[in-house]
């Protein structure tokens, strides 16, 4: 009987050994590659690192019996930096999953490396819908929002409320181009007209010549197809040029809670925007925001920073369930299971890598309507996920077979 028991223990150990060996290098390593110092640092940056750490904290620092490690780096919103760093992290530093990676061009570059190395990339930062369109691959998931969801939210809402003629101030790189393209399509589909556009360099400080061209267009809507400090600087300078006083309406296509905080409610009041997350929407979002604020000096999380928490947590939960960090198995599980959480609610991850969840049309409150710090938004409408994001067969993703 003792001999049989010993044999059972040996067999059990042999059966468990492969499962234990499924965690590569005996550690699960997450890398946050994001904008730490440039135009998007306020909406991404240290807050994205802190949010990812909160997800690790939820697991007590270990998953599937192995230690979780976190590293981070500054992508500088440069495609070459993204590609070089991603390659080094995957190959030399043995990073299992990269979250980020800054602007759309740098994120697309990181996605190409992930596909080449067959490693997981959770694109929490970028906006371009091309991430799950012509640049899609089997190892990238686009997490938080994209230019199509913005267009189907704020773009459609403005046209329906009477904004018939548009002129774009567009950031001159992948994100701005995709945003102008996707919003223009929605504007024209709803009976509006695009009168023209002007493109400005990323992270510019002087919008005077661009705003003068927008004024000269006489368009009802001056649309800012940019983000971060480019958006806040353009809004501030538009006030100096009297855009609103001249009868034109300024529309920020991508704006975050930190941008509103920077602008202040007297300047930002009345702006409409589309977001996938707002810290004060549900008990779950408020609980996360409270933890985040404790790490970030009272600041509330942006939707992208919340996306980092959501993505890291679901990735770790998947590794825990599977007992492996094997990229193919993890990606298969992510795309075949619900992706619901307290951040975005009911969610699914499609075959093209697009995470689909509801988005929301908000309006920035007047100062008198705000009950305190960071109480900025009032909800106008909920946009179901299948209406917010582009249909999977319309994005030219090579992973998707068109019907």
């Amino acid at each position: 009987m003792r001999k049989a028991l010993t044999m059972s223990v040996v067999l059990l150990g042999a059966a468990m050994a492969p499962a234990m060996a499924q965690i590569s290098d005996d550690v699960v390593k997450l890398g946050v590659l994001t904008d730490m110092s440039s135009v998007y640092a306020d909406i991404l940056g240290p807050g994205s690192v802190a949010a990812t750490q909160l997800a690790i904290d939820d697991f007590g620092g270990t998953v599937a019996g192995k230690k979780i490690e976190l590293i981070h780096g500054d992508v500088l919103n440069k495609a070459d930096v993204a590609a070089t760093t991603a390659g080094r992290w995957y190959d030399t530093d043995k990073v299992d999953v990269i979250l980020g990676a800054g602007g759309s061009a740098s994120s697309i570059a990181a996605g190409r490396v992930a596909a080449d190395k067959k490693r997981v990339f959770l694109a929490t930062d970028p906006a371009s819908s091309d991430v799950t369109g012509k640049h899609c691959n089997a190892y990238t998931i686009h997490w938080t929002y994209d230019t199509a969801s913005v267009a189907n939210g704020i773009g459609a809402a403005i046209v329906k409320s009477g904004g018939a003629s548009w002129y774009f101030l567009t950031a001159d790189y992948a994100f701005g181009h995709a945003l102008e393209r996707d919003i223009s399509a929605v504007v024209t589909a709803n009976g509006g007209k695009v009168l023209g556009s002007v493109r400005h360099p990323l992270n510019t400080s002087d919008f005077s010549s661009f705003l003068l061209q927008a004024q000269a267009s006489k368009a009802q809507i001056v649309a800012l197809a940019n983000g971060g400090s480019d958006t806040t600087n353009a809004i501030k300078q538009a006030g100096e040029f009297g855009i609103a006083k001249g009868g034109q309406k300024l529309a920020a296509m991508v704006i975050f809670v930190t941008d509103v905080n920077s602008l202040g409610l007297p300047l930002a009041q009345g702006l409409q925007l589309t977001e996938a997350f707002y810290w004060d929407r549900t008990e779950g979002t408020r609980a996360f925001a409270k933890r985040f604020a404790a790490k970030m000096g009272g600041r509330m999380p942006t939707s992208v920073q919340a996306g980092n928490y959501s993505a890291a947590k679901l990735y770790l939960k998947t590794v825990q369930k599977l007992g492996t960090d094997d990229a193919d198995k993890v990606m298969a599980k992510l795309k075949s299971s619900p992706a619901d959480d307290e951040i975005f609610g009911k969610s699914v991850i499609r075959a093209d890598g697009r995470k689909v969840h509801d988005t929301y049309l908000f309006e920035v409150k007047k100062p008198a309507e705000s009950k305190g710090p960071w109480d900025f938004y009032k909800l106008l409408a909920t946009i179901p996920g299948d209406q917010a994001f582009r249909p999977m067969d319309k994005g030219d993703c090579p992973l998707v077979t068109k019907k």
Side-chain angles (χ1 to χ4, degrees), residues 156-177:
I158 291 175
V159 177
K160 290 174 182 177
S161 66
S165 61
W166 290 58
Y167 189 90
F168 286 89
L169 268 66
T170 301
D172 193 12
Y173 83 113
F175 154 60
H177 301 170

Side-chain angles (χ1 to χ4, degrees), residues 153-330:
I154 187 64
I158 291 175
V159 177
K160 290 174 182 177
S161 66
S165 61
W166 290 58
Y167 189 90
F168 286 89
L169 268 66
T170 301
D172 193 12
Y173 83 113
F175 154 60
H177 301 170
L179 186 56
E180 180 184 331
R181 178 198 66 206
D182 289 349
I183 292 176
S184 295
V186 169
V187 168
T188 54
N190 283 274
K193 185 176 182 181
V194 177
L195 301 185
S197 67
V198 61
R199 292 178 174 178
H200 67 79
L202 180 68
N203 204 16
T204 190
S205 59
D206 184 3
F207 283 87
S208 56
S209 65
F210 310 118
L211 289 167
L212 286 170
Q213 292 180 65
Q215 279 185 315
S217 75
K218 305 297 183 182
Q220 291 173 290
I221 305 299
V222 177
L224 303 179
N226 51 23
S229 60
D230 280 341
T231 295
T232 55
N233 286 336
I235 290 173
K236 291 173 183 177
Q237 291 174 40
E240 297 170 5
F241 276 80
I243 295 288
K245 290 180 181 179
Q248 293 174 297
K249 184 174 181 179
L250 200 68
M253 298 294 96
V254 175
I255 193 166
F256 296 88
V257 70
T258 48
D259 298 325
V260 175
N261 186 62
S262 176
L263 290 166
L265 290 182
L267 186 56
Q269 62 181 310
L271 282 175
Q272 292 185 353
L273 61 136
T274 302
E275 282 271 43
F277 167 90
Y278 176 51
W279 73 269
D280 198 22
R281 193 179 66 82
T282 68
E283 288 299 322
T285 59
R286 284 188 284 273
F288 164 69
K290 182 178 180 180
R291 294 174 61 203
F292 180 91
K295 280 184 172 285
M296 294 297 295
R299 292 169 63 85
M300 291 296 109
T302 66
S303 59
V304 181
Q305 291 162 346
N308 266 65
Y309 173 77
S310 168
K313 188 172 181 179
L314 186 57
Y315 174 82
L316 292 172
K317 187 182 293 186
T318 304
V319 170
Q320 180 81 12
K321 286 181 179 179
L322 295 175
T324 180
D325 57 6
D326 178 86
D328 290 305
K329 294 178 181 178
V330 168

